[in-house]
Amino acid sequence: MLLKGLFYKYSQSQNRLRRQKHRQGGALVMPKRGENIYKRKDGRWEGRYIRGRTASGQAEYGYVYADSYKACRAKRQQCIETLPEKPAVQASAATLAQAAELFLSEKSHVLKASSWNRYSYLTQHYILPALGTAPICQLTADQISDFLRRLQRSGLSGKSARDIGVLLKSILKYTAKKLDCSCPGVNAELPVYHRKKIEVFFADEIGRLAKKVLEAPSMAGVGVLLALNAGLRLGELCALQYKDIDLCNGVIHVTKTAQRMKKGMHTHLVVQPPKTDNARRTIPLPEDMLALLRQTVCPARNEENYFLTGKSAPLEPRTLQYQYRALLKAAGIPYRNFHVLRHTYASRCVEQGVDIKSLSEMLGHADVRTTLQVYVHSSLEHKMRVVQSICFLSLAPAADFAPSAFPSHGPETALRQRVFPNLSQIV
C-alpha cells in the first residue's frame, strides 16, 4: 500500500509538470520575474496587477485566474490594457503621495537599483504614512521640520532623519518644476547631526589580527587582510573574482559589488557595477599581501569564480560579517564594524606619506574632500611624531635646537638653560 501511494503521488506530480509544458519544443514555461504570476496549490495560475492606489500611495491590486500560465498571462495583460488612463495630476490638488509616485517613476530610469530601492523604502515607511495625503502646495516648511523632529524623537538617528529630509525636498523640488507650481516645503531646514568619531584599528590589534589569520588561514581571514591592505568595501570584497586579481603586476581591479536587495516580498543577492565610475579602480598591493595571495590562490583556478568561495556564486556579505566578527573575537580585539578596515587603510596611507589625490583614487572617491573629511584619521602617535620635527626656536645656529627625536629625555643644554628663563618672562 505504501509503494502504491508513493507511485500515485509521483504520477500526479508528473501530470502537473506535463500540464505546465508549452508545446514549443516541450520546454517548461516558467513565470518571468516581475510579472506577478504564480502557481497556486490547487493547480490554477494566479496573476496580480495594480489597478489603482489609495490616497496615501498604497497599491490596490486586482487578480485573475486561469488553468495555464499562458492563459493567466493573457488575462492579466487584458485587464491592464483596459484600466482607465490616469488623469493628469493637477498642481493645485496634487498630494505628496502622487508627487512621490511621479518622482520615483521618473528616477527608476536614472538611478541604480540599490539607490532607487533605498528611496522607495524611505518613502513608503516614513514619508507617506505621515504626510502622504497632504497637498504639496499647502505643505509648509514648518510642517516638514516638525515631521523630521518627530522622527528623531522616536529614536531615528540624526543622519537618517536628514536623509529623509533631503529625499522629501528632492521630491518637492522635482514636482514644483514638473507641474510648474509652488511648494513652500522646499525651504524646510534639515536636521543638524554630528558625525560620529570614526574608529580605526591600532597597530598592535592589526598585528594580532594578522597573526590569528596566518595561524590557521581561511578565505574569510585572507579576505579581511586584503580589505585592510586595499581599502575594499564589504560588497566589493564579496564580488571579487579570480580574474580581478593580477598577481603578476601586483594589483587588484575593483569592477563590481555584491549587495542583497529587496524585490517584492523577497530579497536576492545581486552582483552589479559600482555606484559611481570612480569606484571602478585599480589598487596596488603591498608585497607581503601579494605573497599571501600567491600562497592562497590556486594556479589551476577558474578565472570566473569568486575569490572568497572558489565557486561561481559569491559569498553573502552577511556571512562574511559573521566570520569577521568571529575572527576579531578569536584575536581578542574589540568589535568594530567591517568598514573600519577601510578607515584604517586610509589613515595609515596618509601617515606613511601617500598623497591625498592618489589615496582618493585608490578609495574610489570622486572628490578628495570626501577622503579628507571622512576617511583620514591620524593617530596621536603620528601627531606627536610630526610635532617633534618642528623647530621654532632657531635663535642660534647651534645644534641645540635641531629637531629632537621622539620622545626626548635628554638633559637641557647650557643654551636652553639661558633661553628658557627669558621666555618664561614673556607675557
Side-chain angles (χ1 to χ4, degrees), residues 226-227 229-237 240 243-246 251-257 273-285 339 342 345 357-366 375:
L226 180 59
N229 283 274
L232 296 178
R233 299 179 177 91
L234 178 65
E236 293 170 345
L237 178 58
L240 196 68
K243 65 181 181 182
D244 300 321
I245 304 175
D246 187 350
V251 298
I252 58 174
H253 305 286
V254 179
T255 59
K256 50 198 167 297
T257 183
K275 185 176 293 186
T276 64
D277 291 336
N278 296 90
R280 295 173 177 266
R281 59 199 191 275
T282 298
I283 307 173
L285 295 176
H339 211 68
R342 183 170 164 88
Y345 170 78
K357 178 60 177 174
S358 297
L359 176 58
S360 180
E361 292 177 355
M362 290 190 293
L363 290 172
H365 293 157
Y375 289 93

mmCIF file of all heavy atoms in Angstrom, residues 226-227 229-237 240 243-246 251-257 273-285 339 342 345 357-366 375:
data_model
loop_
_atom_site.group_PDB
_atom_site.id
_atom_site.type_symbol
_atom_site.label_atom_id
_atom_site.label_comp_id
_atom_site.label_asym_id
_atom_site.label_seq_id
_atom_site.Cartn_x
_atom_site.Cartn_y
_atom_site.Cartn_z
ATOM 1 N N LEU A 226 42.996 41.356 3.070
ATOM 2 C CA LEU A 226 43.003 42.033 1.773
ATOM 3 C C LEU A 226 42.237 43.351 1.850
ATOM 4 O O LEU A 226 42.667 44.365 1.293
ATOM 5 C CB LEU A 226 42.388 41.121 0.706
ATOM 6 C CG LEU A 226 42.329 41.681 -0.716
ATOM 7 C CD1 LEU A 226 43.730 42.038 -1.210
ATOM 8 C CD2 LEU A 226 41.677 40.676 -1.664
ATOM 9 N N ALA A 227 41.106 43.340 2.550
ATOM 10 C CA ALA A 227 40.348 44.585 2.731
ATOM 11 C C ALA A 227 41.164 45.606 3.515
ATOM 12 O O ALA A 227 41.121 46.804 3.223
ATOM 13 C CB ALA A 227 39.037 44.291 3.450
ATOM 14 N N ASN A 229 44.389 45.859 3.497
ATOM 15 C CA ASN A 229 45.539 46.298 2.707
ATOM 16 C C ASN A 229 45.153 46.956 1.390
ATOM 17 O O ASN A 229 46.030 47.352 0.621
ATOM 18 C CB ASN A 229 46.461 45.109 2.411
ATOM 19 C CG ASN A 229 47.314 44.718 3.598
ATOM 20 O OD1 ASN A 229 48.387 45.274 3.815
ATOM 21 N ND2 ASN A 229 46.830 43.777 4.396
ATOM 22 N N ALA A 230 43.841 47.059 1.118
ATOM 23 C CA ALA A 230 43.410 47.671 -0.138
ATOM 24 C C ALA A 230 42.240 48.625 0.043
ATOM 25 O O ALA A 230 41.821 49.254 -0.932
ATOM 26 C CB ALA A 230 43.032 46.583 -1.152
ATOM 27 N N GLY A 231 41.701 48.724 1.261
ATOM 28 C CA GLY A 231 40.594 49.640 1.495
ATOM 29 C C GLY A 231 39.310 49.221 0.806
ATOM 30 O O GLY A 231 38.500 50.080 0.419
ATOM 31 N N LEU A 232 39.076 47.922 0.670
ATOM 32 C CA LEU A 232 37.887 47.441 -0.031
ATOM 33 C C LEU A 232 36.644 47.556 0.846
ATOM 34 O O LEU A 232 36.706 47.367 2.061
ATOM 35 C CB LEU A 232 38.064 45.984 -0.448
ATOM 36 C CG LEU A 232 39.159 45.676 -1.462
ATOM 37 C CD1 LEU A 232 39.225 44.178 -1.713
ATOM 38 C CD2 LEU A 232 38.923 46.435 -2.756
ATOM 39 N N ARG A 233 35.520 47.838 0.211
ATOM 40 C CA ARG A 233 34.229 47.776 0.890
ATOM 41 C C ARG A 233 33.798 46.317 0.995
ATOM 42 O O ARG A 233 34.303 45.437 0.293
ATOM 43 C CB ARG A 233 33.181 48.576 0.121
ATOM 44 C CG ARG A 233 33.509 50.064 -0.017
ATOM 45 C CD ARG A 233 32.424 50.762 -0.818
ATOM 46 N NE ARG A 233 32.647 52.195 -0.930
ATOM 47 C CZ ARG A 233 33.321 52.776 -1.918
ATOM 48 N NH1 ARG A 233 33.849 52.019 -2.891
ATOM 49 N NH2 ARG A 233 33.471 54.086 -1.965
ATOM 50 N N LEU A 234 32.832 46.070 1.866
ATOM 51 C CA LEU A 234 32.359 44.706 2.094
ATOM 52 C C LEU A 234 31.833 44.083 0.797
ATOM 53 O O LEU A 234 32.206 42.963 0.430
ATOM 54 C CB LEU A 234 31.255 44.710 3.162
ATOM 55 C CG LEU A 234 30.607 43.363 3.483
ATOM 56 C CD1 LEU A 234 31.623 42.421 4.110
ATOM 57 C CD2 LEU A 234 29.419 43.560 4.427
ATOM 58 N N GLY A 235 30.955 44.797 0.095
ATOM 59 C CA GLY A 235 30.380 44.267 -1.136
ATOM 60 C C GLY A 235 31.409 44.079 -2.233
ATOM 61 O O GLY A 235 31.314 43.145 -3.038
ATOM 62 N N GLU A 236 32.419 44.956 -2.274
ATOM 63 C CA GLU A 236 33.469 44.831 -3.286
ATOM 64 C C GLU A 236 34.302 43.587 -3.057
ATOM 65 O O GLU A 236 34.698 42.905 -4.016
ATOM 66 C CB GLU A 236 34.353 46.073 -3.265
ATOM 67 C CG GLU A 236 33.643 47.337 -3.717
ATOM 68 C CD GLU A 236 34.442 48.596 -3.470
ATOM 69 O OE1 GLU A 236 35.426 48.545 -2.694
ATOM 70 O OE2 GLU A 236 34.088 49.649 -4.046
ATOM 71 N N LEU A 237 34.589 43.258 -1.807
ATOM 72 C CA LEU A 237 35.357 42.058 -1.494
ATOM 73 C C LEU A 237 34.571 40.808 -1.857
ATOM 74 O O LEU A 237 35.124 39.858 -2.424
ATOM 75 C CB LEU A 237 35.730 42.059 -0.012
ATOM 76 C CG LEU A 237 36.510 40.846 0.497
ATOM 77 C CD1 LEU A 237 37.810 40.674 -0.271
ATOM 78 C CD2 LEU A 237 36.783 40.978 1.989
ATOM 79 N N LEU A 240 34.620 40.096 -5.609
ATOM 80 C CA LEU A 240 35.939 39.968 -6.238
ATOM 81 C C LEU A 240 36.100 38.576 -6.845
ATOM 82 O O LEU A 240 35.910 37.559 -6.164
ATOM 83 C CB LEU A 240 37.026 40.226 -5.203
ATOM 84 C CG LEU A 240 38.432 40.509 -5.733
ATOM 85 C CD1 LEU A 240 38.471 41.851 -6.454
ATOM 86 C CD2 LEU A 240 39.438 40.490 -4.593
ATOM 87 N N LYS A 243 39.737 36.620 -11.690
ATOM 88 C CA LYS A 243 40.242 37.402 -12.818
ATOM 89 C C LYS A 243 40.529 38.855 -12.432
ATOM 90 O O LYS A 243 41.215 39.567 -13.168
ATOM 91 C CB LYS A 243 39.250 37.361 -13.976
ATOM 92 C CG LYS A 243 37.917 38.031 -13.680
ATOM 93 C CD LYS A 243 36.989 37.922 -14.868
ATOM 94 C CE LYS A 243 35.649 38.611 -14.601
ATOM 95 N NZ LYS A 243 34.722 38.458 -15.757
ATOM 96 N N ASP A 244 40.011 39.290 -11.287
ATOM 97 C CA ASP A 244 40.261 40.655 -10.831
ATOM 98 C C ASP A 244 41.580 40.785 -10.073
ATOM 99 O O ASP A 244 41.986 41.900 -9.735
ATOM 100 C CB ASP A 244 39.117 41.134 -9.925
ATOM 101 C CG ASP A 244 37.780 41.140 -10.636
ATOM 102 O OD1 ASP A 244 37.754 41.499 -11.829
ATOM 103 O OD2 ASP A 244 36.767 40.777 -10.008
ATOM 104 N N ILE A 245 42.236 39.660 -9.785
ATOM 105 C CA ILE A 245 43.483 39.663 -9.019
ATOM 106 C C ILE A 245 44.647 39.445 -9.977
ATOM 107 O O ILE A 245 44.782 38.374 -10.569
ATOM 108 C CB ILE A 245 43.469 38.578 -7.931
ATOM 109 C CG1 ILE A 245 42.253 38.764 -7.008
ATOM 110 C CG2 ILE A 245 44.764 38.595 -7.131
ATOM 111 C CD1 ILE A 245 42.091 37.664 -5.986
ATOM 112 N N ASP A 246 45.455 40.454 -10.165
ATOM 113 C CA ASP A 246 46.605 40.387 -11.070
ATOM 114 C C ASP A 246 47.873 40.244 -10.238
ATOM 115 O O ASP A 246 48.458 41.224 -9.773
ATOM 116 C CB ASP A 246 46.659 41.660 -11.923
ATOM 117 C CG ASP A 246 47.736 41.584 -12.996
ATOM 118 O OD1 ASP A 246 48.551 40.640 -12.966
ATOM 119 O OD2 ASP A 246 47.776 42.497 -13.860
ATOM 120 N N VAL A 251 48.385 44.020 -8.480
ATOM 121 C CA VAL A 251 47.232 44.904 -8.313
ATOM 122 C C VAL A 251 45.949 44.076 -8.301
ATOM 123 O O VAL A 251 45.931 42.908 -8.714
ATOM 124 C CB VAL A 251 47.150 45.954 -9.447
ATOM 125 C CG1 VAL A 251 48.373 46.844 -9.447
ATOM 126 C CG2 VAL A 251 46.957 45.278 -10.803
ATOM 127 N N ILE A 252 44.880 44.694 -7.816
ATOM 128 C CA ILE A 252 43.541 44.118 -7.957
ATOM 129 C C ILE A 252 42.653 45.152 -8.642
ATOM 130 O O ILE A 252 42.857 46.358 -8.512
ATOM 131 C CB ILE A 252 42.927 43.713 -6.594
ATOM 132 C CG1 ILE A 252 42.854 44.918 -5.640
ATOM 133 C CG2 ILE A 252 43.691 42.577 -5.975
ATOM 134 C CD1 ILE A 252 42.124 44.614 -4.359
ATOM 135 N N HIS A 253 41.680 44.670 -9.393
ATOM 136 C CA HIS A 253 40.769 45.527 -10.132
ATOM 137 C C HIS A 253 39.375 45.442 -9.496
ATOM 138 O O HIS A 253 38.807 44.348 -9.392
ATOM 139 C CB HIS A 253 40.699 45.109 -11.596
ATOM 140 C CG HIS A 253 42.034 45.069 -12.279
ATOM 141 N ND1 HIS A 253 42.724 46.208 -12.645
ATOM 142 C CD2 HIS A 253 42.822 44.013 -12.635
ATOM 143 C CE1 HIS A 253 43.873 45.864 -13.212
ATOM 144 N NE2 HIS A 253 43.955 44.538 -13.217
ATOM 145 N N VAL A 254 38.849 46.565 -9.070
ATOM 146 C CA VAL A 254 37.512 46.627 -8.486
ATOM 147 C C VAL A 254 36.545 47.042 -9.595
ATOM 148 O O VAL A 254 36.614 48.171 -10.088
ATOM 149 C CB VAL A 254 37.454 47.613 -7.311
ATOM 150 C CG1 VAL A 254 36.038 47.682 -6.737
ATOM 151 C CG2 VAL A 254 38.444 47.206 -6.238
ATOM 152 N N THR A 255 35.659 46.131 -9.990
ATOM 153 C CA THR A 255 34.748 46.405 -11.112
ATOM 154 C C THR A 255 33.286 46.171 -10.763
ATOM 155 O O THR A 255 32.416 46.466 -11.572
ATOM 156 C CB THR A 255 35.107 45.513 -12.314
ATOM 157 O OG1 THR A 255 35.000 44.127 -11.928
ATOM 158 C CG2 THR A 255 36.523 45.792 -12.788
ATOM 159 N N LYS A 256 33.009 45.635 -9.569
ATOM 160 C CA LYS A 256 31.626 45.325 -9.224
ATOM 161 C C LYS A 256 31.488 45.219 -7.705
ATOM 162 O O LYS A 256 32.476 45.199 -6.973
ATOM 163 C CB LYS A 256 31.180 44.026 -9.905
ATOM 164 C CG LYS A 256 32.129 42.874 -9.703
ATOM 165 C CD LYS A 256 31.888 41.790 -10.721
ATOM 166 C CE LYS A 256 33.025 40.779 -10.734
ATOM 167 N NZ LYS A 256 34.320 41.352 -11.118
ATOM 168 N N THR A 257 30.238 45.098 -7.280
ATOM 169 C CA THR A 257 29.940 44.964 -5.857
ATOM 170 C C THR A 257 28.772 44.021 -5.675
ATOM 171 O O THR A 257 27.910 43.910 -6.561
ATOM 172 C CB THR A 257 29.624 46.342 -5.234
ATOM 173 O OG1 THR A 257 29.409 46.202 -3.838
ATOM 174 C CG2 THR A 257 28.399 46.959 -5.865
ATOM 175 N N PRO A 273 27.611 46.586 -11.189
ATOM 176 C CA PRO A 273 28.722 47.555 -11.218
ATOM 177 C C PRO A 273 28.663 48.479 -10.016
ATOM 178 O O PRO A 273 27.606 48.663 -9.412
ATOM 179 C CB PRO A 273 28.475 48.319 -12.527
ATOM 180 C CG PRO A 273 27.637 47.417 -13.356
ATOM 181 C CD PRO A 273 26.769 46.654 -12.391
ATOM 182 N N PRO A 274 29.783 49.090 -9.666
ATOM 183 C CA PRO A 274 29.777 50.032 -8.536
ATOM 184 C C PRO A 274 28.844 51.207 -8.793
ATOM 185 O O PRO A 274 28.428 51.467 -9.927
ATOM 186 C CB PRO A 274 31.242 50.490 -8.458
ATOM 187 C CG PRO A 274 32.019 49.429 -9.153
ATOM 188 C CD PRO A 274 31.125 48.898 -10.218
ATOM 189 N N LYS A 275 28.524 51.929 -7.721
ATOM 190 C CA LYS A 275 27.556 53.017 -7.817
ATOM 191 C C LYS A 275 28.050 54.144 -8.700
ATOM 192 O O LYS A 275 27.271 54.780 -9.404
ATOM 193 C CB LYS A 275 27.236 53.542 -6.421
ATOM 194 C CG LYS A 275 26.143 54.595 -6.374
ATOM 195 C CD LYS A 275 25.806 55.001 -4.955
ATOM 196 C CE LYS A 275 25.167 53.867 -4.196
ATOM 197 N NZ LYS A 275 24.695 54.294 -2.843
ATOM 198 N N THR A 276 29.343 54.420 -8.698
ATOM 199 C CA THR A 276 29.904 55.506 -9.500
ATOM 200 C C THR A 276 31.051 54.986 -10.350
ATOM 201 O O THR A 276 31.633 53.926 -10.069
ATOM 202 C CB THR A 276 30.416 56.647 -8.607
ATOM 203 O OG1 THR A 276 31.499 56.152 -7.796
ATOM 204 C CG2 THR A 276 29.308 57.170 -7.706
ATOM 205 N N ASP A 277 31.398 55.752 -11.385
ATOM 206 C CA ASP A 277 32.516 55.367 -12.242
ATOM 207 C C ASP A 277 33.840 55.425 -11.482
ATOM 208 O O ASP A 277 34.767 54.658 -11.774
ATOM 209 C CB ASP A 277 32.578 56.292 -13.465
ATOM 210 C CG ASP A 277 31.405 56.081 -14.408
ATOM 211 O OD1 ASP A 277 30.830 54.974 -14.384
ATOM 212 O OD2 ASP A 277 31.061 57.006 -15.164
ATOM 213 N N ASN A 278 33.951 56.336 -10.513
ATOM 214 C CA ASN A 278 35.186 56.440 -9.745
ATOM 215 C C ASN A 278 35.437 55.205 -8.892
ATOM 216 O O ASN A 278 36.582 54.929 -8.522
ATOM 217 C CB ASN A 278 35.144 57.679 -8.849
ATOM 218 C CG ASN A 278 35.090 58.966 -9.646
ATOM 219 O OD1 ASN A 278 34.011 59.459 -9.970
ATOM 220 N ND2 ASN A 278 36.237 59.511 -9.991
ATOM 221 N N ALA A 279 34.353 54.483 -8.543
ATOM 222 C CA ALA A 279 34.519 53.277 -7.734
ATOM 223 C C ALA A 279 35.165 52.142 -8.530
ATOM 224 O O ALA A 279 35.664 51.184 -7.946
ATOM 225 C CB ALA A 279 33.170 52.828 -7.180
ATOM 226 N N ARG A 280 35.155 52.243 -9.852
ATOM 227 C CA ARG A 280 35.916 51.292 -10.679
ATOM 228 C C ARG A 280 37.380 51.714 -10.625
ATOM 229 O O ARG A 280 37.737 52.795 -11.108
ATOM 230 C CB ARG A 280 35.423 51.324 -12.130
ATOM 231 C CG ARG A 280 33.989 50.845 -12.330
ATOM 232 C CD ARG A 280 33.601 51.087 -13.772
ATOM 233 N NE ARG A 280 32.283 50.616 -14.080
ATOM 234 C CZ ARG A 280 31.985 49.427 -14.593
ATOM 235 N NH1 ARG A 280 32.976 48.584 -14.864
ATOM 236 N NH2 ARG A 280 30.750 49.077 -14.850
ATOM 237 N N ARG A 281 38.225 50.904 -10.074
ATOM 238 C CA ARG A 281 39.584 51.356 -9.843
ATOM 239 C C ARG A 281 40.557 50.180 -9.796
ATOM 240 O O ARG A 281 40.148 49.022 -9.693
ATOM 241 C CB ARG A 281 39.669 52.125 -8.524
ATOM 242 C CG ARG A 281 39.247 51.316 -7.301
ATOM 243 C CD ARG A 281 38.906 52.253 -6.150
ATOM 244 N NE ARG A 281 38.738 51.540 -4.887
ATOM 245 C CZ ARG A 281 37.581 50.967 -4.517
ATOM 246 N NH1 ARG A 281 36.529 51.010 -5.319
ATOM 247 N NH2 ARG A 281 37.494 50.350 -3.342
ATOM 248 N N THR A 282 41.829 50.510 -9.890
ATOM 249 C CA THR A 282 42.915 49.540 -9.773
ATOM 250 C C THR A 282 43.744 49.908 -8.552
ATOM 251 O O THR A 282 44.183 51.057 -8.414
ATOM 252 C CB THR A 282 43.795 49.549 -11.028
ATOM 253 O OG1 THR A 282 42.994 49.168 -12.162
ATOM 254 C CG2 THR A 282 44.941 48.568 -10.888
ATOM 255 N N ILE A 283 43.956 48.942 -7.667
ATOM 256 C CA ILE A 283 44.618 49.203 -6.387
ATOM 257 C C ILE A 283 45.901 48.381 -6.300
ATOM 258 O O ILE A 283 45.857 47.142 -6.403
ATOM 259 C CB ILE A 283 43.700 48.839 -5.206
ATOM 260 C CG1 ILE A 283 42.338 49.533 -5.348
ATOM 261 C CG2 ILE A 283 44.353 49.207 -3.885
ATOM 262 C CD1 ILE A 283 41.323 49.088 -4.324
ATOM 263 N N PRO A 284 47.048 49.016 -6.117
ATOM 264 C CA PRO A 284 48.293 48.266 -5.898
ATOM 265 C C PRO A 284 48.318 47.660 -4.502
ATOM 266 O O PRO A 284 47.751 48.226 -3.560
ATOM 267 C CB PRO A 284 49.381 49.331 -6.067
ATOM 268 C CG PRO A 284 48.699 50.620 -5.722
ATOM 269 C CD PRO A 284 47.260 50.474 -6.148
ATOM 270 N N LEU A 285 48.983 46.531 -4.373
ATOM 271 C CA LEU A 285 49.019 45.821 -3.092
ATOM 272 C C LEU A 285 50.445 45.772 -2.544
ATOM 273 O O LEU A 285 51.415 45.719 -3.307
ATOM 274 C CB LEU A 285 48.504 44.386 -3.262
ATOM 275 C CG LEU A 285 47.037 44.225 -3.660
ATOM 276 C CD1 LEU A 285 46.720 42.758 -3.876
ATOM 277 C CD2 LEU A 285 46.115 44.823 -2.613
ATOM 278 N N HIS A 339 33.640 48.267 8.011
ATOM 279 C CA HIS A 339 34.091 49.473 7.315
ATOM 280 C C HIS A 339 35.275 50.132 8.002
ATOM 281 O O HIS A 339 35.985 50.942 7.384
ATOM 282 C CB HIS A 339 32.927 50.470 7.213
ATOM 283 C CG HIS A 339 32.985 51.321 5.989
ATOM 284 N ND1 HIS A 339 32.793 50.823 4.714
ATOM 285 C CD2 HIS A 339 33.227 52.653 5.833
ATOM 286 C CE1 HIS A 339 32.894 51.809 3.838
ATOM 287 N NE2 HIS A 339 33.166 52.923 4.490
ATOM 288 N N ARG A 342 38.517 49.862 6.238
ATOM 289 C CA ARG A 342 38.720 50.867 5.193
ATOM 290 C C ARG A 342 39.241 52.185 5.789
ATOM 291 O O ARG A 342 40.141 52.810 5.239
ATOM 292 C CB ARG A 342 37.410 51.074 4.451
ATOM 293 C CG ARG A 342 37.444 52.040 3.287
ATOM 294 C CD ARG A 342 36.114 51.933 2.529
ATOM 295 N NE ARG A 342 35.879 53.049 1.644
ATOM 296 C CZ ARG A 342 36.298 53.115 0.386
ATOM 297 N NH1 ARG A 342 37.017 52.113 -0.117
ATOM 298 N NH2 ARG A 342 36.009 54.156 -0.373
ATOM 299 N N TYR A 345 42.896 51.671 6.658
ATOM 300 C CA TYR A 345 43.736 51.713 5.453
ATOM 301 C C TYR A 345 44.020 53.156 5.044
ATOM 302 O O TYR A 345 45.167 53.530 4.780
ATOM 303 C CB TYR A 345 43.021 50.968 4.329
ATOM 304 C CG TYR A 345 43.654 51.131 2.965
ATOM 305 C CD1 TYR A 345 44.796 50.418 2.606
ATOM 306 C CD2 TYR A 345 43.091 51.992 2.022
ATOM 307 C CE1 TYR A 345 45.367 50.558 1.359
ATOM 308 C CE2 TYR A 345 43.659 52.140 0.770
ATOM 309 C CZ TYR A 345 44.791 51.420 0.438
ATOM 310 O OH TYR A 345 45.355 51.569 -0.795
ATOM 311 N N LYS A 357 45.566 62.820 -3.354
ATOM 312 C CA LYS A 357 44.979 62.528 -4.657
ATOM 313 C C LYS A 357 45.071 61.040 -4.979
ATOM 314 O O LYS A 357 44.090 60.419 -5.415
ATOM 315 C CB LYS A 357 45.694 63.354 -5.737
ATOM 316 C CG LYS A 357 45.200 63.107 -7.156
ATOM 317 C CD LYS A 357 43.730 63.443 -7.309
ATOM 318 C CE LYS A 357 43.287 63.262 -8.757
ATOM 319 N NZ LYS A 357 41.820 63.451 -8.922
ATOM 320 N N SER A 358 46.222 60.450 -4.760
ATOM 321 C CA SER A 358 46.386 59.011 -5.026
ATOM 322 C C SER A 358 45.493 58.183 -4.109
ATOM 323 O O SER A 358 44.865 57.214 -4.539
ATOM 324 C CB SER A 358 47.852 58.600 -4.845
ATOM 325 O OG SER A 358 48.682 59.266 -5.771
ATOM 326 N N LEU A 359 45.449 58.573 -2.837
ATOM 327 C CA LEU A 359 44.613 57.843 -1.886
ATOM 328 C C LEU A 359 43.145 57.942 -2.272
ATOM 329 O O LEU A 359 42.402 56.958 -2.193
ATOM 330 C CB LEU A 359 44.830 58.389 -0.471
ATOM 331 C CG LEU A 359 43.958 57.784 0.629
ATOM 332 C CD1 LEU A 359 44.166 56.285 0.713
ATOM 333 C CD2 LEU A 359 44.257 58.441 1.965
ATOM 334 N N SER A 360 42.715 59.119 -2.695
ATOM 335 C CA SER A 360 41.322 59.307 -3.102
ATOM 336 C C SER A 360 40.969 58.401 -4.263
ATOM 337 O O SER A 360 39.882 57.801 -4.305
ATOM 338 C CB SER A 360 41.081 60.772 -3.485
ATOM 339 O OG SER A 360 39.740 60.974 -3.878
ATOM 340 N N GLU A 361 41.875 58.239 -5.217
ATOM 341 C CA GLU A 361 41.621 57.351 -6.356
ATOM 342 C C GLU A 361 41.609 55.884 -5.924
ATOM 343 O O GLU A 361 40.804 55.093 -6.424
ATOM 344 C CB GLU A 361 42.685 57.593 -7.429
ATOM 345 C CG GLU A 361 42.585 58.963 -8.085
ATOM 346 C CD GLU A 361 43.687 59.202 -9.094
ATOM 347 O OE1 GLU A 361 44.577 58.330 -9.214
ATOM 348 O OE2 GLU A 361 43.665 60.259 -9.770
ATOM 349 N N MET A 362 42.498 55.508 -5.008
ATOM 350 C CA MET A 362 42.523 54.116 -4.552
ATOM 351 C C MET A 362 41.276 53.765 -3.750
ATOM 352 O O MET A 362 40.831 52.616 -3.734
ATOM 353 C CB MET A 362 43.786 53.860 -3.726
ATOM 354 C CG MET A 362 45.064 53.872 -4.557
ATOM 355 S SD MET A 362 46.527 53.301 -3.665
ATOM 356 C CE MET A 362 46.734 54.596 -2.448
ATOM 357 N N LEU A 363 40.694 54.764 -3.073
ATOM 358 C CA LEU A 363 39.462 54.536 -2.318
ATOM 359 C C LEU A 363 38.217 54.623 -3.203
ATOM 360 O O LEU A 363 37.131 54.223 -2.787
ATOM 361 C CB LEU A 363 39.342 55.545 -1.179
ATOM 362 C CG LEU A 363 40.316 55.381 -0.022
ATOM 363 C CD1 LEU A 363 40.211 56.563 0.937
ATOM 364 C CD2 LEU A 363 40.078 54.074 0.721
ATOM 365 N N GLY A 364 38.374 55.188 -4.401
ATOM 366 C CA GLY A 364 37.239 55.282 -5.307
ATOM 367 C C GLY A 364 36.366 56.486 -5.079
ATOM 368 O O GLY A 364 35.163 56.453 -5.370
ATOM 369 N N HIS A 365 36.939 57.575 -4.570
ATOM 370 C CA HIS A 365 36.177 58.793 -4.324
ATOM 371 C C HIS A 365 36.232 59.719 -5.539
ATOM 372 O O HIS A 365 37.260 59.807 -6.214
ATOM 373 C CB HIS A 365 36.726 59.537 -3.102
ATOM 374 C CG HIS A 365 36.518 58.801 -1.834
ATOM 375 N ND1 HIS A 365 37.281 59.003 -0.704
ATOM 376 C CD2 HIS A 365 35.623 57.835 -1.497
ATOM 377 C CE1 HIS A 365 36.870 58.211 0.268
ATOM 378 N NE2 HIS A 365 35.864 57.492 -0.195
ATOM 379 N N ALA A 366 35.133 60.440 -5.772
ATOM 380 C CA ALA A 366 35.092 61.411 -6.855
ATOM 381 C C ALA A 366 35.696 62.737 -6.440
ATOM 382 O O ALA A 366 36.106 63.527 -7.288
ATOM 383 C CB ALA A 366 33.645 61.613 -7.328
ATOM 384 N N TYR A 375 37.634 59.961 5.825
ATOM 385 C CA TYR A 375 38.434 58.757 5.961
ATOM 386 C C TYR A 375 39.827 58.954 6.551
ATOM 387 O O TYR A 375 40.517 57.991 6.811
ATOM 388 C CB TYR A 375 38.579 58.083 4.589
ATOM 389 C CG TYR A 375 37.289 57.466 4.116
ATOM 390 C CD1 TYR A 375 36.417 58.165 3.310
ATOM 391 C CD2 TYR A 375 36.944 56.181 4.505
ATOM 392 C CE1 TYR A 375 35.239 57.609 2.884
ATOM 393 C CE2 TYR A 375 35.771 55.612 4.086
ATOM 394 C CZ TYR A 375 34.913 56.327 3.276
ATOM 395 O OH TYR A 375 33.746 55.772 2.872
#
